[in-house]
Amino acid sequence: MGQVDFQSSLRASAVIAVALWVESWETGLFAVIGAVVSTLTARLLAVPRDTLDQGLMTYCGVLGGIAMLVYLGHHPSTYVMAVCAAVMCTLVTAALGHLLGPFGLKAFTGPFCLVSLVMVLGAPSFDRVWHGTPRTAVTPAASSSPDVGWTDLWQGFFTNIGQIFFAGTWYVGLIMLAGLFLAGWKVGLFAAVGSVTGLLVAWALGAPAALIGEGIYGYNAVLTALAFGVVLLRATAWNHAYAVLAAAASTGLTASLSVLFDAFGSHTFTWPFNITTWALLAAVPLLPRITRAEDG
């Protein structure tokens, strides 16, 4: 994250890595595979060291590795696919960064979304890759009732954070939130703000209570609030309000894209975060009260 020093970022990353192993040893292992392979790919291709230190070439590889486990299951072929996903995430990160740079936009988690979407959609065509839809890739059957209880709210607050890494248990989200606070109080605060925003918007619109509790509607809001609240905009009241608006918009978009991607047997991944952030960041030059960090 742009305004987080390297040591704080390292501590936060270590705690999040622990949280992934707590979720399951498979999740932790595939996260490590994604991190190592994407970083080595970037090093072999001589990506500048400052870019590597910021984790810009690693984050999507981690998500891509975990996505392969979630959607392809734990099989020998999945290890190969995870390596391929991590390599491609690094390459697509460079490509998107080059293409979006002239427009003042960043790749964000777009590379992970693109690579995972292509690989997940194509997997059923290959007998040595596809072994049926894993249980972890299916959203548990849930009541469509919008009656939200206290348990849905407090568990949803934490699972909103855990679901960023496909972790659906509240205590993993709690550990991750602690890691984000280690990165800086502002990082932890905006993660919490994004989670609360996701909860409130999903509840106000009548989303199924069980899905709210599982973090399905809130993880994109967490990412969006972090992007606008910590990295992309200056620290002003108007900008903070814009960050909350962006988090709310990503929650609504999550529902729309879930319906769209369900028709293809795929997942929304973090598309709502990327699309919302690209759109609202592109609007900033025409909004004088909203100021980007580099304009300060």
Side-chain angles (χ1 to χ4, degrees):
M1 295 179 180
Q3 299 178 5
V4 179
D5 66 80
F6 179 72
Q7 291 299 325
S8 297
S9 179
L10 194 61
R11 289 194 296 269
S13 298
V15 172
I16 290 174
V18 169
L20 292 173
W21 283 92
V22 170
E23 174 69 10
S24 72
W25 70 267
E26 295 96 337
T27 301
L29 178 58
F30 275 83
V32 170
I33 291 172
V36 171
V37 173
S38 59
T39 302
L40 285 177
T41 302
R43 289 293 298 274
L44 288 172
L45 296 176
V47 171
R49 185 59 183 265
D50 62 333
T51 301
L52 287 174
D53 288 344
Q54 294 174 40
L56 300 179
M57 290 291 176
T58 303
Y59 181 57
C60 285
V62 171
L63 291 175
I66 299 174
M68 294 304 102
L69 171 68
V70 171
Y71 289 97
L72 303 181
H74 189 211
H75 303 279
S77 60
T78 309
Y79 288 86
V80 178
M81 299 300 287
V83 170
C84 293
V87 171
M88 291 308 301
C89 279
T90 301
L91 300 179
V92 176
T93 295
L96 275 184
H98 177 70
L99 291 173
L100 295 174
F103 300 98
L105 303 176
K106 302 178 185 296
F108 302 124
T109 60
F112 147 69
C113 289
L114 285 170
V115 171
S116 298
L117 177 64
V118 169
M119 295 181 76
V120 169
L121 287 179
S125 299
F126 303 102
D127 288 341
R128 292 188 176 91
V129 173
W130 187 247
H131 305 276
T133 303
R135 180 188 59 80
T136 53
V138 180
T139 300
S143 168
S144 60
S145 171
D147 297 329
V148 177
W150 170 242
T151 300
D152 298 314
L153 291 175
W154 75 261
Q155 289 191 358
F157 174 79
F158 294 114
T159 52
N160 283 343
I161 298 168
Q163 284 286 3
I164 294 172
F165 292 92
F166 299 98
T169 45
W170 69 266
Y171 50 84
V172 171
L174 172 60
I175 297 171
M176 289 182 180
L177 180 60
L180 292 174
F181 271 106
L182 285 177
W185 66 267
K186 191 175 181 181
V187 179
L189 175 62
F190 272 95
V193 168
S195 184
V196 170
T197 301
L199 287 174
L200 292 177
V201 171
W203 167 78
L205 294 177
L211 295 183
I212 292 175
E214 292 164 9
I216 302 302
Y217 281 96
Y219 67 95
N220 282 288
V222 174
L223 284 172
T224 307
L226 283 170
F228 281 105
V230 180
V231 181
L232 300 174
L233 304 180
R234 296 176 61 197
T236 69
W238 280 100
N239 288 343
H240 291 164
Y242 199 66
V244 174
L245 172 65
S250 71
T251 303
L253 187 58
T254 295
S256 301
L257 292 183
S258 294
V259 173
L260 174 64
F261 283 114
D262 184 62
F264 298 97
S266 188
H267 192 278
T268 57
F269 300 122
T270 54
W271 280 116
F273 155 64
N274 286 298
I275 293 173
T276 300
T277 305
W278 285 330
L280 295 187
L281 188 60
V284 167
L286 295 180
L287 305 173
R289 291 193 185 277
I290 309 301
T291 51
R292 295 183 57 152
E294 58 264 33
D295 296 334

